[in-house]
Structures are given as C-alpha cells and as structure tokens.
Amino acid sequence: MAELMENEVVRAFSTYAVIVVVKMLLMGPMTGYYRFTRGSFSNEEDVARKSAEEKKKLLKTHPDVERVRRCHQNDLENIIPFVIVGLLYALTGPELSVALLHFRIFAGARIFHTIAYIGALPQPSRALSWVVGMLVTFSMAYRVLNTVLFL
Amino acid sequence: MAELMENEVVRAFSTYAVIVVVKMLLMGPMTGYYRFTRGSFSNEEDVARKSAEEKKKLLKTHPDVERVRRCHQNDLENIIPFVIVGLLYALTGPELSVALLHFRIFAGARIFHTIAYIGALPQPSRALSWVVGMLVTFSMAYRVLNTVLFL
Amino acid sequence: MAELMENEVVRAFSTYAVIVVVKMLLMGPMTGYYRFTRGSFSNEEDVARKSAEEKKKLLKTHPDVERVRRCHQNDLENIIPFVIVGLLYALTGPELSVALLHFRIFAGARIFHTIAYIGALPQPSRALSWVVGMLVTFSMAYRVLNTVLFL
C-alpha cells in the first residue's frame, strides 16, 4: 500500500490530481456566490420566502451564472479524463521529469482556462488553454495504450 | 493485486464508492421515468411515432424532468471528485475508523441530498447536505496533499 | 508498480478505459466543429469580431450543437461510472475472459450509442445501447460489492 504512494510519479500525480479536482469542486461555491449576488436561482424552494413577484424575477437565468456553469461543465469534461488517464499513465512508470511536465502543463492550462472563462478574456486565450489541456491528456493516453495495450 | 483489496480502508472505500456511483447512475433511469410520465423529451427520434401536434407538445421541457437532471448534474459535480480524492486518500493509509467516518458521512449526505432535491424539501436541507459532502472531500484532499505533496 | 500493470485484467481495463475516455474527450472538438459549421456560440468573446447583427444570430442555440452536447453529457453520466467501477472490479481479480467480455461489450455499446445519437438513428437503437452499457457497469458493481463489502 504505502509502496504505491512511495513512488514519486504517483505522489506527483496525486498532488496535481487533487489540485485540479479541488479547483473544479470550487466552481460549485462560485456558482452559489454568483446566484446570490446576481439573484438567479433554479429551484422554487431556494426562493421560498420571497413574494410571488420577486420569485418570478429570481427564477430567471443570469448570463454571469450561466458563464460559471459552462466553465464548471468544461472542467468536468476535461479534468476528469485527465485524472483517469493520468492515474493509468502514472502506473506505467514514466520518467519522473516527463510526468511532471505533463502534470504541470495541464494544471497551469486549466487554471488559466478558468481565469480566461470567468474573466471573459478575448479569444483565443480560452480556446488555447482548452486545447493544451486536451493535448496533455492525449499524450498520456498514447503512452498508456503504447505500454499496456491488451484488447 | 489481491494485496490492495485485502486492505480494509481500500475495501471500505470500494464499498462506499460503488454505492454512491450506483446511486448516481440510477439518476439516468429516473430521468427516463420522469420523461415518460411527464411527457417531456429532447430528441425528435424519441417521439417519432407521434402526430406532428403531439410531437411539439412532447418536445417541451418539464420542470420535474429538469429537477431530476439538475440533481444528476450535482451528483456528477460532487460524487466524482469524492471518488477520485477518496481513492488517493485510501492509498495514503489513514486510520480505518477515520476513513470510515469520511465515507459514511459522504454517502449519507449525498443520499439525503437526492431526497431533498427530488422531494423539493424546504431549504437549507439540500444546501446543507451539499456542503457536508463537499467538506468531506476537502478534508480528504487536505490529508492527501499533507501526506504526498510532490510539486 | 510495474507489478500492477503486469496483471492482464488491469492491462485490459486500462486499454478499454483509455479508449472510451478518449472517445468521450473527442466530443469536445466535435462540439467545436458543429458550433463553427452551424454558427452557434455561447460566449460573447467567441464572436467578438462580428457585427452586432451577426452576433445576435451566432449566439443562438442550434439543434445539431445541442444534440452533440446531450451525447457528451450522456457519456459523462455513463463512461465515468464505468471507469470508476471498472477499476475497482479489475482489482478484485476476476477471470480475464469474463472481464474482457464486460469491457468489450461496454466499449462497443458506447461507440454505437454515439453513432445512434449523432446520427439520430430510429429508437430503440440509442436506448438499447445506453441500457447495455449501464448493465455492464451494474454487473461489475455487483461483483465488487460481493467481493469486498466492508460497511
């Protein structure tokens, strides 16, 4: 057990996996923050104490909330594949320096992606960070298939 | 191999991970059930045998279906991070009793979250169960980073 | 380390997990392709260089884009649970032939599911491939709980 976590590549993977997953998880509270400050909710019970008129207003979507939600969705679509493929990649025993390069580029790209998305930075900043993250995952996927292929 | 699954923390993790993932997976059939009973579909081919007039009616969204889908989405956003962080946490070799406490609280919180969401229970029941689940994942993430940090 | 990846069931799992996850990841670029060819975007900064009139048109949803997005969402809801449960399943040391049967059926069902969804094939082709994939995951979940149950 402890053996697995003594391996430096597995430790590096665990560190970066937790960082990007916690970043993704924080999009939840951020959505909540935007819902309260922008006054935009999805569920009747969330605005139960308001007057009928206010309710109608509060149950509409708000562009800022929808933006955070799209960013969160993009995280689910990209960070989870990274973690799955990355775990298998770490188990193939790659060079530590090469593995670290993959993990660091991915984490940096995804943190920048969130800044670009929430800040609505001019394109192609968001598109590029999305592509870079995906290329890292593809590179790890290639190594896994190349090492363990068993169909 | 068998070694890993002989460890009690890994076995406990596997048990609770499967329970919450199966719970999440069952939101799919539940969405299907609501789509049929409420008559609300998303795809033309799902209502191919109906008349043009009926089709138009059946291809509209229904609040009950949208509620189940939001609940499912919240599961994706919270249960998958729990499983990823929880696996790494289990591999750091925590005390069995402490690990069980994390897993049990999370599973309980998420099952209650589904009941609160689908049943539209008054707030803050849903919000609290969401926060409790997230705190469990944060606590495990802290332990992982504290044990294996390798940047 | 290498030990884990020397096991044939783990190697088979890794192969099929990477295949279905990469398939899921490719839904991202496919959404991008449909957004550009159908002219349907979600973010103002994605259409920054267009005239005000064009912007309004380009920021509307398009049924083809929404279809790809629903297919992607269905992948997230089904492929990720397969990978999580499948990893734990592989660690319980099942028969190689039985494990391969699970992995192959799942991968086949999900690839067909994407074809049925994007191609809008007549039902119940899409529904059946969805159910088959889910049954594979349930079967593996049953084996995991049956082998390692520790509540």
Side-chain angles (χ1 to χ4, degrees):
Chain A
M1 183 76 112
E3 252 176 80
L4 204 62
M5 275 303 186
E6 271 164 22
N7 181 286
E8 289 186 329
V9 173
V10 175
R11 284 179 55 197
F13 166 73
S14 302
T15 302
Y16 286 97
V18 167
I19 288 172
V20 291
V21 168
V22 165
K23 190 225 80 58
M24 178 171 78
L25 208 47
L26 288 173
M27 301 308 289
M30 193 189 268
T31 306
Y33 170 79
Y34 275 82
R35 285 201 184 284
F36 276 97
T37 54
R38 268 59 170 179
S40 166
F41 298 87
S42 300
N43 298 290
E44 289 246 352
E45 65 268 27
D46 301 354
V47 294
R49 292 183 194 176
K50 309 287 178 176
S51 67
E53 202 186 326
E54 272 185 307
K55 271 185 197 179
K56 215 176 160 183
K57 226 170 110 187
L58 290 170
L59 289 174
K60 280 185 182 153
T61 59
H62 186 286
D64 291 355
V65 175
E66 297 312 303
R67 177 176 285 279
V68 182
R69 293 182 63 217
R70 285 197 301 275
C71 182
H72 197 169
Q73 182 70 14
N74 196 281
D75 274 355
L76 290 171
E77 292 169 7
N78 290 279
I79 288 178
I80 299 166
F82 164 81
V83 172
I84 293 168
V85 176
L87 174 66
L88 301 173
Y89 168 77
L91 294 176
T92 64
E95 280 285 328
L96 177 61
S97 59
V98 179
L100 275 173
L101 198 67
H102 281 83
F103 304 156
R104 284 172 183 161
I105 291 176
F106 184 86
R110 292 309 302 187
I111 289 168
F112 181 75
H113 181 270
T114 303
I115 296 169
Y117 216 144
I118 304 301
L121 300 192
Q123 287 283 28
S125 57
R126 195 185 86 231
L128 275 180
S129 57
W130 172 67
V131 168
V132 168
M134 203 174 288
L135 290 180
V136 170
T137 305
F138 283 146
S139 166
M140 298 191 306
Y142 175 77
R143 152 110 193 168
V144 173
L145 289 185
N146 211 30
T147 318
V148 308
L149 193 71
F150 192 105
L151 283 165
Chain B
M1 184 77 114
E3 254 178 80
L4 204 62
M5 275 302 186
E6 271 163 22
N7 181 286
E8 290 187 328
V9 173
V10 175
R11 285 179 55 196
F13 166 73
S14 301
T15 302
Y16 286 97
V18 167
I19 288 172
V20 291
V21 168
V22 166
K23 189 224 82 56
M24 178 170 78
L25 208 45
L26 288 173
M27 301 308 290
M30 192 187 269
T31 306
Y33 170 79
Y34 275 82
R35 284 200 185 284
F36 275 96
T37 54
R38 267 60 170 179
S40 165
F41 297 87
S42 300
N43 297 292
E44 290 245 353
E45 66 269 27
D46 301 354
V47 293
R49 292 182 195 178
K50 308 287 180 178
S51 67
E53 202 186 325
E54 271 185 306
K55 271 185 197 179
K56 214 178 161 183
K57 225 171 112 188
L58 289 168
L59 288 174
K60 279 184 183 155
T61 60
H62 187 287
D64 291 355
V65 175
E66 297 311 302
R67 177 176 286 279
V68 182
R69 294 183 63 217
R70 285 196 301 275
C71 182
H72 198 169
Q73 182 70 13
N74 196 280
D75 273 356
L76 290 171
E77 292 169 5
N78 289 278
I79 288 177
I80 299 166
F82 163 81
V83 173
I84 293 169
V85 176
L87 174 66
L88 301 173
Y89 168 79
L91 293 176
T92 64
E95 280 285 328
L96 177 61
S97 60
V98 179
L100 275 172
L101 198 66
H102 281 82
F103 303 156
R104 285 172 183 161
I105 291 176
F106 184 86
R110 292 309 303 186
I111 289 166
F112 180 74
H113 181 271
T114 303
I115 296 169
Y117 215 143
I118 305 301
L121 300 192
Q123 287 282 28
S125 57
R126 195 186 85 232
L128 276 181
S129 57
W130 173 66
V131 168
V132 168
M134 203 175 288
L135 290 180
V136 169
T137 305
F138 284 146
S139 165
M140 297 191 307
Y142 176 78
R143 152 110 193 167
V144 174
L145 289 184
N146 212 29
T147 317
V148 309
L149 193 70
F150 193 105
L151 284 164
Chain C
M1 184 74 115
E3 254 177 80
L4 204 60
M5 274 302 185
E6 270 163 24
N7 181 287
E8 290 187 328
V9 174
V10 174
R11 283 179 56 197
F13 166 73
S14 301
T15 303
Y16 287 97
V18 167
I19 289 171
V20 291
V21 168
V22 165
K23 189 225 81 57
M24 178 170 79
L25 208 46
L26 288 173
M27 301 309 288
M30 193 188 270
T31 306
Y33 170 79
Y34 275 83
R35 284 200 184 284
F36 276 96
T37 54
R38 268 60 170 179
S40 165
F41 297 86
S42 301
N43 298 291
E44 290 245 353
E45 65 269 28
D46 300 354
V47 293
R49 291 182 195 177
K50 308 286 179 179
S51 67
E53 203 186 324
E54 272 185 306
K55 271 185 198 179
K56 215 177 161 182
K57 226 171 111 188
L58 290 168
L59 289 173
K60 279 183 183 156
T61 59
H62 186 286
D64 291 355
V65 175
E66 297 311 303
R67 177 176 286 278
V68 181
R69 293 183 63 217
R70 285 196 302 275
C71 182
H72 197 170
Q73 182 71 13
N74 196 280
D75 274 355
L76 290 171
E77 292 169 7
N78 289 278
I79 288 178
I80 299 167
F82 164 80
V83 173
I84 293 169
V85 175
L87 174 66
L88 301 173
Y89 168 78
L91 293 176
T92 64
E95 279 286 328
L96 177 62
S97 60
V98 179
L100 274 172
L101 198 66
H102 281 83
F103 304 156
R104 284 171 184 162
I105 291 176
F106 185 86
R110 291 309 304 186
I111 289 167
F112 181 74
H113 181 272
T114 303
I115 296 168
Y117 215 144
I118 305 301
L121 299 193
Q123 287 282 27
S125 58
R126 196 186 84 230
L128 276 180
S129 56
W130 173 66
V131 167
V132 168
M134 204 176 286
L135 290 179
V136 170
T137 305
F138 283 146
S139 167
M140 297 191 306
Y142 176 78
R143 152 108 194 170
V144 174
L145 289 183
N146 211 30
T147 317
V148 308
L149 194 70
F150 192 104
L151 284 165

